[in-house]
Amino acid sequence: MKKLLIKNIGLLQGCSLHGDKPLRGAALATVESIANAYLATDGERIASFGEMAACPPECDFHQVIDAQGGIVHPAFCDSHTHIVYAGSREGEFLDKINGLSYEEIARRGGGILNSADRLHDSSEEDLTAAAHRRLRIAAALGTGAIEIKSGYGLTLDDELKMLRVIARLRNEMPQMEIRATFLGAHAVGRAFTGRQSEYVDHIINDMLPAVANQGIAQFADVFCDKGFFTVDETDRILRAAAPLGLLPKIHANELDCSGGVQIGIAHGALSVDHLERIGQAEIDALAASDTVATMLPGASFFLGMPYGPARAAAAGGCIVALASDWNPGSSPSGSMPMVRALGSIKMKLTPDQTLNATTINGAAAMGLTSTMGTITPGKYASIVIYRPEITNPAYIPYAYTEPLIQQVLLKAQPQL
Ligand code: NIG
Ligand code: FE
């Protein structure tokens, strides 16, 4: 197996001998780091790391990368995206500029249904090519693990088409860890307009069994929010998903205090996501659970919504993760560096907190802590190497538009 050495790392962040636990409370604010470090890989995994003084001889390696003093941290784990979509929605961008809200656009038949119409008319090949291009962009920005949702199909055939596209992406880009989420309950499909409860029945009776039967999704999601799906409908869908082995990840409390957080926790959800509108009751409930509190500052930024109270949630003991929500309607960006910057600028998390929230806690929100999220022997050698002139890690989210990345390795393969 190919052995790679990365030498002269100015600061190796996020290293840990175990690293399989998500971080909450005070631990979220601490990034374990080593100055003047090396990192050695064996095949696609991390073999060892330590101080340069203890660096193994270069002749033991097939390839040596000189980081020239650059900072290194684990690749980002983006635990919430919708990157399989057709076309784009800059028409709605203009509607938003002219003052229409996300809900008004959805009521006029725009939004998710607009994307569903376009997806219906697209071939699996075209959808795969477009999503593959987005994955390459994400990789170049340092993302090494990503969750991708269906939810622009909204018919049995089109939801399965989306999940097959995600399966193809896994084959085409094995260096990226990819997890698939079935989100049939993203909006009511057009064929069921005015018959929401029948659409929920269709999800439960037809879509979920077909998805489980084909083994092409790991998680099930519901958009539990005002104007979309109710707490009772979410409960029914998650009850049906559990025996099929589909773990819940819920869209909750984006548009209203929806009750989505509580129903997610009650079902042992891996994560509840968005959380722009949560209060102390939700923070306390999340802190008492192992459900990851995933916030999506890119959606708040793009839609002009409130930001989730990440600082209070972190102080309250929640497992806070930050993800991109990359989708054509509410967050047309998969930049995790930007997510970190918004986490600091708008949510008042420290750079160390945002690093943990976008690496190990993002991994936890995808069930990937044994392979991703920290620099730990045995985990995948998926890392971001920054340019040598950056010596203070706080510069990274501070100088938020500078191209600071020198190289990205995913499973030890250079991506740039
Ligand atoms: O996470 N909130 C629901 N779903 C997406 C938006 C989807 C869309 O507008 O196309 C989100 O923001
Ligand atoms: Fe989303």
Side-chain angles (χ1 to χ4, degrees):
M1 271 207 286
K2 196 173 164 191
K3 290 176 192 257
L4 172 72
L5 173 69
I6 301 133
K7 66 174 185 180
N8 297 328
I9 297 169
L11 188 69
L12 182 62
Q13 296 191 287
C15 42
S16 159
L17 283 177
H18 305 292
D20 55 354
K21 295 255 179 314
L23 302 175
R24 60 168 101 217
L28 184 72
T30 310
V31 171
E32 284 183 59
S33 303
I34 299 179
N36 300 321
Y38 79 90
L39 176 65
T41 74
D42 193 0
E44 54 187 20
R45 309 250 174 190
I46 295 168
S48 66
F49 65 85
E51 292 180 5
M52 267 311 281
C55 186
E58 290 186 23
C59 58
D60 289 356
F61 294 90
H62 300 100
Q63 193 188 346
V64 178
I65 295 177
D66 187 348
Q68 300 169 357
I71 293 170
V72 167
H73 66 59
F76 297 117
C77 297
D78 188 355
S79 64
H80 182 136
T81 81
H82 311 245
I83 62 164
V84 176
Y85 58 84
S88 49
R89 303 221 307 258
E90 61 274 19
E92 290 169 23
F93 180 53
L94 293 180
D95 291 341
K96 280 181 203 122
I97 291 167
N98 289 323
L100 290 193
S101 71
Y102 183 74
E103 288 143 297
E104 283 164 336
I105 291 168
R107 268 200 300 276
R108 291 175 173 210
I112 295 166
L113 293 181
N114 180 351
S115 283
D117 293 341
R118 294 188 195 198
L119 185 127
H120 180 74
D121 293 335
S122 296
S123 71
E124 228 164 287
E125 287 69 27
D126 288 351
L127 288 168
T128 307
H132 188 115
R133 191 183 61 80
R134 294 177 195 120
L135 276 184
R136 300 278 349 155
I137 293 170
L141 292 167
T143 296
I146 193 165
E147 180 258 17
I148 310 173
K149 299 173 194 295
S150 70
Y152 292 125
L154 310 180
T155 65
L156 175 60
D157 285 351
D158 287 345
E159 284 293 307
L160 291 175
K161 174 163 88 171
M162 287 190 79
L163 293 168
R164 281 195 303 273
V165 167
I166 300 170
R168 283 187 182 211
L169 294 169
R170 279 176 119 153
N171 285 332
E172 288 184 2
M173 209 164 153
Q175 70 273 36
M176 178 75 79
E177 275 298 283
I178 297 176
R179 291 293 178 271
T181 299
F182 167 64
L183 175 56
H186 197 193
V188 175
R190 284 206 195 276
F192 287 83
T193 305
R195 298 185 292 133
Q196 177 147 338
S197 72
E198 285 172 52
Y199 182 64
V200 172
D201 292 341
H202 180 46
I203 290 173
I204 291 171
N205 298 328
D206 306 308
M207 290 192 189
L208 277 171
V211 168
N213 196 23
Q214 299 194 16
I216 46 176
Q218 292 75 52
F219 309 125
D221 194 344
V222 178
F223 189 5
C224 178
D225 224 320
K226 188 173 147 200
F228 290 85
F229 293 87
T230 66
V231 169
D232 282 350
E233 289 164 343
T234 305
D235 186 41
R236 286 182 57 210
I237 292 169
L238 296 187
R239 271 180 209 282
L244 301 172
L246 294 164
L247 289 174
K249 280 171 70 70
I250 302 297
H251 277 74
N253 298 55
E254 173 185 1
L255 307 172
D256 198 7
C257 216
S258 61
V261 169
Q262 285 83 354
I263 195 69
I265 293 171
H267 281 276
L270 205 50
S271 69
V272 288
D273 301 27
H274 269 290
L275 313 181
E276 287 84 352
R277 296 169 209 271
I278 59 169
Q280 197 58 44
E282 284 80 12
I283 290 176
D284 291 345
L286 283 162
S289 78
D290 289 331
T291 296
V292 178
T294 301
M295 299 192 190
L296 309 169
S300 300
F301 173 71
F302 187 76
L303 295 181
M305 288 189 304
Y307 286 81
R311 191 181 166 101
C318 305
I319 303 166
V320 174
L322 298 178
S324 75
D325 195 19
W326 193 352
N327 74 74
S330 65
S331 184
S333 162
S335 169
M336 291 299 276
M338 182 68 180
V339 165
R340 280 193 70 196
L342 291 171
S344 287
I345 297 164
K346 296 292 190 183
M347 297 169 139
K348 308 296 177 202
L349 297 176
T350 65
D352 283 352
Q353 286 178 311
T354 65
L355 182 61
N356 285 326
T358 51
T359 54
I360 184 65
N361 285 3
M366 293 185 270
L368 291 178
T369 54
S370 63
T371 52
M372 295 291 301
T374 56
I375 305 292
T376 300
K379 288 197 183 187
Y380 289 126
S382 295
I383 59 167
V384 185
I385 308 174
Y386 287 88
R387 296 170 64 90
E389 58 269 28
I390 301 138
T391 51
N392 181 345
Y395 188 86
I396 296 167
Y398 153 82
Y400 64 97
T401 60
E402 273 184 46
L404 303 175
I405 294 176
Q406 179 183 165
Q407 182 56 280
V408 176
L409 300 181
L410 298 186
K411 299 187 184 173
Q413 290 176 42
Q415 302 300 304
L416 301 179

